[in-house]
Amino acid sequence: MRKAMKSDLVPAVMHEALLQWESRNVRQFGKPRVSGDDCHETIAAQLGYLTTCGFNTVDCPWQKGMWAIFHAVK
C-alpha cells in the first residue's frame, strides 16, 4: 500500500483514508471495535454466510493472521 502511494499509483486524495485503515486494521488489530470500524468476522462465520446465501461448497484453503482466501461454489 505504502509503495503504491509513493509511486503515485494511488490518488493522493485516498492516502489519509488508507493510512487510517492501516492503523485500525493492522497496528491496532485485536483491539476492541466500535460502530463504524472495519469489524472482522471469524472464518467460520464468513463460511456460514456463504452457505446461507446458497453456496453448496465453501472452504478456506489459506489463512494467515487476519487474511484469508475463500472458495465457494454455487
Side-chain angles (χ1 to χ4, degrees), residues 37-52:
D37 283 348
D38 292 340
C39 297
H40 302 285
E41 296 277 359
T42 65
I43 289 172
Q46 293 180 67
L47 292 173
Y49 298 147
L50 292 168
T51 301
T52 299

Side-chain angles (χ1 to χ4, degrees), residues 9-24:
L9 296 172
V10 176
V13 70
M14 292 295 299
H15 290 194
E16 186 58 32
L18 290 171
L19 293 171
Q20 289 177 14
W21 178 92
E22 178 187 44
S23 177
R24 285 190 313 272

Side-chain angles (χ1 to χ4, degrees), residues 50-51 54-58 73-74:
L50 292 168
T51 301
F55 288 89
N56 298 318
T57 303
V58 298
V73 178
K74 195 161 193 178

